Each structure stands twice: as C-alpha cells, then as structure tokens.
Amino acid sequence: MEKSRYKIGLEKLSEVDGNAGDQVIESLKDVAPDLGRLIIEFAFADIYTRSVLDLKERERMTLSCLASIGGAENQLRVHINGALNVGVTAKEIVEVFIHCAVYVGFPRALNAVAVAKEVFKERKIL
C-alpha cells in the first residue's frame, strides 16, 4: 500500500523537528488546521524528501533563510533544533549566521545567534 503525502510528510517532520514540529502542527489545529496540513504535505512530503540536498544542507539553508527574513525567531528555534537533530553542529549553525551578516546585516545575524544561544543552553550545548 502506498503511503499518503500526509503520512510521508509527518514522518519527515518527526525525523527533522521531532516534538517541536508536532507542537507547531498541534498549535494550528484549532485555528488553521489546513496550514498545518500544508506544512506537512508540501514542505515535508514534497520538498524535504527530495534527493538532491541532504537534510543537513536543507536545515542550514532554512536557517539562512529564516535569519534573512527576520522576525521569525519561533521558526528559527524549531529549525535550530531540527538542524541539530539531523547532525548540523552548533559551530556550523553559528557559522551560517556569521555568513548571513555579510548579506543581510549584523542585526539579523545577532538576532539569529541570540536564538541559537537559547537553544544551545536548553540542549546543554553551551
């Protein structure tokens, strides 16, 4: 039997984001359940399962994008954890944000590093 996009996406979400991903989807159930379904089916089933980039590359890119747009601290927190879950090191995460400073500015890079510091402390990396 073929798995549904939803099931495939849910498995990939769990692999990358663990409990944090589940919490995001749960937080949407009463107000925007379709948004949660789209995150699972489109982002995680259709995009995260593509074979050209591995999960570490995808998470590093996601961190760069989220740092660049600014105002996405909650999503940064989830994806910093996700990056760590798939094997990106804390040092690599910080390096992504340092690199971002050149292109998006120091304020956005500093904000991203501040979120990373919180996550690292929670996970006892610092």
Side-chain angles (χ1 to χ4, degrees):
M1 179 184 259
E2 193 173 311
K3 288 184 186 177
S4 70
R5 280 174 71 219
Y6 189 86
K7 178 78 172 155
I8 291 166
L10 205 54
E11 289 173 0
K12 188 59 68 175
L13 174 71
S14 180
E15 178 183 354
V16 174
D17 292 332
N19 193 37
D22 295 337
Q23 290 173 351
V24 170
I25 301 306
E26 185 63 33
S27 74
L28 295 170
K29 280 190 175 177
D30 61 344
V31 65
D34 289 340
L35 183 56
R37 181 184 51 78
L38 287 168
I39 290 168
I40 291 169
E41 292 179 349
F42 177 63
F44 285 91
D46 295 347
I47 303 300
Y48 268 76
T49 60
R50 294 175 60 88
S51 63
V52 176
L53 301 175
D54 65 27
L55 290 177
K56 289 172 69 172
E57 292 168 313
R58 290 185 185 284
E59 283 303 303
R60 285 190 295 257
M61 188 181 319
T62 300
L63 295 177
S64 174
C65 291
L66 291 171
S68 297
I69 62 174
E73 287 76 13
N74 290 334
Q75 292 77 16
L76 260 175
R77 187 170 286 103
V78 169
H79 284 282
I80 290 167
N81 275 298
L84 293 166
N85 291 344
V86 299
V88 179
T89 67
K91 190 172 186 174
E92 290 172 318
I93 290 168
V94 171
E95 192 64 28
V96 166
F97 298 144
I98 290 170
H99 190 78
C100 285
V102 176
Y103 296 97
V104 302
F106 281 91
R108 294 225 165 117
L110 288 167
N111 289 345
V113 167
V115 175
K117 184 177 180 178
E118 292 172 10
V119 171
F120 297 163
K121 281 184 178 180
E122 289 168 6
R123 291 180 69 142
K124 296 178 180 28
I125 294 172
L126 280 183

